[in-house]
Amino acid sequence: MNIVIPRKEVYRYLGYGKQEPDPAIQDAVETCIQHLKACLPKSIWKEFDLKIEKDRLCFEEIQIQSKDLAKNLNGCTKVICLATTLGIVPDRLIARANITNKAHSVILQAAALAMIEEYTDQINALIIQDAKERGYFCRPRFSCGYGDFKLEHQKDFNRLLNMPKTIGVTLTDGYLMVPYKSVTAVIGLSHQECKKVVSGCSSCEKKDCQYKK
């Protein structure tokens, strides 16, 4: 799968907003993106029947209490748990650059963030197409840590998807994923299309996030 890293997203993660950085920074971005071509992205997802009772969601013996996630999945009868990763390459490149070139370390962080989002978007598109062929509409993906969907539910993804074995991702004691450029998300499936769904940055109450769109 060819992953074209959106340069505008890299610049946004670097703090340039909608502006383009000077040519020297753009060249450094291109150099870092070339290094990231060594990544070996992986993904895994599974589908489960879903039951929603007010703000409580139940699937595969998992219970999640989340008003924001329940709102996102309202009307859904099935849910997909998705996990993606770029593998260990970005972590190694960033660690090395922290010693040899601090500026490249920052740029690698931004480029890898843009890359994992782009890769996850591509996998998400495959899921949407498959769902459409079966008569389902997909809700926007919703990750642990969005709104009141607690980060500790990463452990449920870890168990349901067997992430250490399937894609080589483990969890820290604080429920962060290693390798760090990894994503987990819930995607709801419904027979009815719903266009008024709040997700992603819009669902998060944090106002000072440097990555907020």
Side-chain angles (χ1 to χ4, degrees), residues 33-153:
I33 286 175
Q34 287 299 315
H35 292 323
L36 288 172
K37 288 186 176 181
C39 291
L40 297 173
K42 293 181 180 180
S43 62
I44 178 72
W45 67 88
K46 289 185 179 180
E47 185 177 308
F48 306 98
D49 292 328
L50 173 68
K51 292 183 179 180
I52 303 177
E53 300 173 358
K54 293 185 178 180
D55 296 339
R56 177 177 293 180
L57 304 98
C58 305
F59 59 92
E60 199 66 16
E61 300 180 355
I62 302 299
Q63 293 191 13
I64 299 172
Q65 190 74 31
S66 170
K67 181 179 179 181
D68 294 321
L69 184 57
K71 186 184 297 184
N72 176 278
L73 299 180
N74 183 39
C76 294
T77 57
K78 293 182 179 293
V79 68
I80 288 174
C81 288
L82 165 69
T84 61
T85 184
L86 296 182
I88 198 66
V89 169
D91 292 356
R92 288 176 174 170
L93 289 172
I94 292 166
R96 187 183 307 150
N98 266 328
I99 299 171
T100 61
N101 190 325
K102 291 287 187 181
H104 275 203
S105 175
V106 174
I107 293 171
L108 282 165
Q109 284 277 9
L113 279 170
M115 187 177 187
I116 187 59
E117 284 298 318
E118 180 65 20
Y119 175 62
T120 306
D121 283 346
Q122 291 185 18
I123 299 300
N124 202 154
L126 295 177
I127 292 172
I128 290 171
Q129 182 60 37
D130 175 74
K132 183 178 180 180
E133 292 172 358
R134 295 186 289 127
Y136 287 98
F137 293 96
C138 286
R139 299 295 167 81
R141 65 176 182 266
F142 205 98
S143 293
C144 297
Y146 284 179
D148 63 354
F149 184 18
K150 294 181 180 179
L151 191 63
E152 65 189 53
H153 286 294

Side-chain angles (χ1 to χ4, degrees), residues 13 21 23 72 75 87 89 103 107 112 117 121-122 131 158 163 170 183 192 195 197-199 204 211:
Y13 285 133
N72 176 278
V89 169
I107 293 171
E117 284 298 318
D121 283 346
Q122 291 185 18
N158 192 50
M163 289 169 13
T170 59
V183 168
Q192 295 186 344
K195 296 181 179 180
V197 179
V198 177
S199 63
C204 184
Y211 301 135

